[in-house]
Each structure stands twice: as structure tokens, then as C-alpha cells.
Amino acid sequence: MNIKYKKVAKRFGLFLALAVPELACAQSGITLYGLAQTAVDFTHFSSAPKSPGKSATYLTNESSFFGLQGKEDLGNEVSAIFKLESWFSLANGSLIVPNTLFPREAYVGLSSKTLGTLMLGSIYTPALWLSFSVDPYGRANNGAIYNLMQQVPPRNTIRGFIPTQNNAIEYISPLIAGAITARVMFAPSGQTGDQSRLGQMFSSSLAYDKKPLYAGFSYERSYVNASSLGVSANPRSNTTMTMGVAYTFPWFKASGYLLKNQLSGFNDVNGYMVGLTIPVGTSRIVSSYSARQMTHDHDTKASVFAIGYFYPLSKRTILFTSFAQLHNGASTSFGLWPSETIYNPQGLPVGGQNIRSVEVGMAHYF
């Protein structure tokens, strides 16, 4: 090699020596992902004292979403992370939550394999992750566990677990003993004076997840305005505890779920779910029964029975059908997701009105 080429090679080698460490510490990537899912929902409302029986057909949104998530390697097994996840309807292209671009999750944080993950922003709660792990429907379709168990405005604004918490700080532990994960979340109220605790929230969970067994527990306390329930002394302590278990047998998967909500000054609300998932080749049959009731008040009992079938056309495309029957007590007016986002603004259902739903749809992950 002549002297000229030796000098070029030496300079190029020096450039690589300086550049490679920087590149190694700044590896990053952004992923676009999501779900396009919709269904035709044939819904029947039973007759009730304040409403005659009626039927309707809906094209539902079925939880379509898209998201951006990214990760940058900072070195020493530490990464900067972020996530922005939107939620929209395929039926009309609108946002599910008006004027909110990223209602599912929007956060930034740091993650370490040995130290855990710290996130700041609008984040799924520990109780939501527990419900996802035991719900045969995977928190989607008309048989989803959150029909009765979680806070879903406007018809269940307080008496259930919070799905997503704004202004939140969350820590997720690294995997302990290869199977255990702990989550701790805190959200300050942002209020002053007499209302200094209104909106404040603390939540935590502990979960064991190693096949064939999943078992988890969550605890959540928030301070809420209960004026919609006819009281004036606010804020009030609102505590929700959940337990979930799922076990995968050789031929099927069984799951169970318990919920207790304690709102200061009111009787407790108790709920439960039992579920079953049966693989049939690459497809699956799922079924669940869930119920909730305020202590000593039979008129507040509501229950949902659901059964569904999911058939994958490929790893990313699924056809599905599902049947659900909801019974409302005399003083409850729960709806079935996802078509309730359409008929709730129309004043349906009324107290004591039952709902029967058959849906046929398609889901595509990207």
C-alpha cells in the first residue's frame, strides 16, 4: 500500500474509532403499530318501564388504534423510551375521545433491565394490566371484562377501577425470579386548598406470570367528586381492589376475577368474572360470565354472559363473531362495548333494560 492510501486508511480508521462508540450509545428506533378492527353489531333492547323494546344495527369501532413507540440506547443497559397511542373509530374516522389525540397512553421514561422502568405521562394503570391478563376476550368485543368492572363514563364514572391515569408517575420493577412483576403508580392532584386531594391517585399491583399460571392482585385509591351520586361533601376516598388468576390446562384455559370497590359513605360494590378459552386448531372459542352488585341492594345487580369464536386468516388478520346477553337490575343501565358508544348518547339503555348483542367483525394488526 503506498503512502497516500496509508494516510487515507489511517484517517478513516481514526474516524471509525471516534464514531462507533457514539453510534453504539445512540442506537434508536421508532415503531408505528396499531389495530384496524370493526364489526357489524345487531343489538336488541328489551322492553322496560320507561322504554319499549327496540332493535338496531351498528357498525362499531371495535377498539381501533395506532401508536408510535420509540427507544434509544443510552448505554449501560439503560434506554430512553416513549409511547404515543391514539384511539379512533373505523365507522366514521373520528377520535373515540373528542379533542384528545392520545387517550390510550402518552408517556416518556427510562428503562433498565436491572433497575426497572420509570414512566411519566398518561399511562395504563396496574389494574388494567391485570384485567387484560385474565379476560378471555382480551379487553375487546361485546364480552369484554370492563363492561361492568372499570370506570366507563358516563354510565359508570366512579364504581370501578381506573383504566388510564393522567398526570401519572409509574415504576415497573424488573422481572423478579423470572416470573414476578411489581407496579407502583402515583398521580398528584394538581389542586390546592380544600380540594388539594381531589383527583389524587395511588395504585399498585403484584403479578406472577409463568405458564401455566398467572396470578395477580391490584390496589387502587383515588379521591373523587361524588356529586353525581347526590352528595356534597367532596373529595371522597374511592378504593378498588382486584384479584385475577388464569391457568392453562392441556386442552383449555380457565380464568377468574374478583373486584371490590369501596366509596366513602356508600355500600361496597362487589364483582366477579369466570372465563374459559378453548383452542380449536389455530382458532379459539372464548366464553365468560361476569356480574356486579352493590351490597344489600339487589336492584343494582348487573350481569353479562358472552361466547365468541375467533378465526385467524393469518398471523395479523382475524375474523370473529360473538354473542353477549346483559341483564340490568332495576336501577342499573350498563351497556355492551363497543356499540354503547353509539347508543349511550341516545339515552339507551334505561334502568332495568336488558341488551342482547350479536357481532360479526374483522381485526387486522399492523
Side-chain angles (χ1 to χ4, degrees):
M1 182 180 294
N2 62 40
I3 296 175
K4 180 180 179 181
Y5 286 115
K6 282 184 178 180
K7 289 182 178 179
V8 171
K10 185 176 181 181
R11 289 174 181 174
F12 184 68
L14 178 61
F15 168 78
L16 286 179
L18 293 173
V20 169
E22 268 198 48
L23 291 172
C25 293
Q27 292 177 6
S28 63
I30 298 176
T31 301
L32 171 67
Y33 64 94
L35 170 65
Q37 179 170 311
T38 192
V40 179
D41 192 329
F42 306 94
T43 302
H44 176 74
F45 302 89
S46 71
S47 60
K50 296 182 179 180
S51 180
K54 58 192 71 178
S55 298
T57 301
Y58 306 102
L59 184 65
T60 66
N61 67 77
E62 281 293 351
S63 302
S64 297
F65 66 88
F66 71 88
L68 293 169
Q69 61 182 8
K71 179 179 179 180
E72 181 187 13
D73 184 0
L74 302 177
N76 298 319
E77 296 188 336
V78 177
S79 298
I81 58 173
F82 81 90
K83 183 178 181 181
L84 303 170
E85 196 165 284
S86 190
W87 191 15
F88 64 95
S89 168
L90 280 186
N92 55 26
S94 65
L95 295 174
I96 298 297
V97 181
N99 304 316
T100 305
L101 183 57
F102 300 113
R104 290 171 65 96
E105 282 195 297
Y107 65 75
V108 67
L110 293 172
S111 180
S112 165
K113 291 182 179 180
T114 56
L115 300 177
T117 301
L118 180 66
M119 301 181 295
L120 307 172
S122 179
I123 307 170
Y124 289 149
T125 65
L128 180 142
W129 288 112
L130 192 155
S131 69
F132 178 80
S133 297
V134 300
D135 185 359
Y137 276 87
R139 292 184 50 83
N141 310 100
N142 58 4
I145 194 172
Y146 52 72
N147 280 315
L148 302 180
M149 304 300 176
Q150 79 176 33
Q151 295 182 17
V152 181
R155 48 87 170 167
N156 183 30
T157 57
I158 298 176
R159 307 306 302 267
F161 70 82
I162 300 170
T164 305
Q165 179 63 49
N166 295 331
N167 308 311
I169 305 164
E170 183 179 40
Y171 170 74
I172 306 173
S173 75
L175 203 60
I176 303 169
I180 300 171
T181 302
R183 295 173 181 263
V184 179
M185 174 181 283
F186 174 73
S189 70
Q191 306 289 333
T192 59
D194 294 340
Q195 303 298 310
S196 61
R197 291 199 299 178
L198 183 61
Q200 179 179 302
M201 181 265 205
F202 169 80
S203 182
S204 63
S205 70
L206 191 66
Y208 175 91
D209 189 5
K210 189 172 185 179
K211 285 190 175 181
L213 176 65
Y214 171 89
F217 170 81
S218 76
Y219 173 89
E220 173 183 293
R221 170 169 285 187
S222 60
Y223 292 88
V224 301
N225 185 330
S227 58
S228 62
L229 301 178
V231 297
S232 58
N234 292 302
R236 287 177 177 255
S237 171
N238 191 39
T239 301
T240 304
M241 294 170 284
T242 71
M243 294 180 62
V245 63
Y247 194 90
T248 303
F249 295 91
W251 302 106
F252 65 92
K253 179 180 179 180
S255 56
Y257 181 83
L258 295 173
L259 174 143
K260 177 178 282 291
N261 174 267
Q262 298 172 318
L263 177 62
S264 177
F266 293 84
N267 290 339
D268 293 354
V269 168
N270 300 296
Y272 68 90
M273 185 278 300
V274 289
L276 191 66
T277 302
I278 305 174
V280 182
T282 58
S283 61
R284 70 185 190 276
I285 298 170
V286 301
S287 183
S288 65
Y289 177 82
S290 56
R292 62 173 278 156
Q293 180 180 340
M294 188 179 293
T295 305
H296 308 308
D297 189 350
H298 185 74
D299 287 347
T300 63
K301 183 176 181 179
S303 64
V304 177
F305 168 76
I307 185 168
Y309 177 68
F310 295 78
Y311 180 79
L313 297 177
S314 69
K315 289 183 178 180
R316 296 190 297 160
T317 304
I318 300 170
L319 299 179
F320 61 86
T321 183
S322 181
F323 166 82
Q325 175 78 49
L326 185 154
H327 290 277
N328 273 308
S331 61
T332 65
S333 55
F334 288 94
L336 288 172
W337 185 268
S339 55
E340 69 167 335
T341 58
I342 304 172
Y343 56 70
N344 273 169
Q346 302 169 6
L348 293 170
V350 299
Q353 192 166 47
N354 302 326
I355 303 174
R356 184 170 63 248
S357 167
V358 177
E359 62 176 3
V360 180
M362 175 178 175
H364 176 75
Y365 292 89
F366 59 89

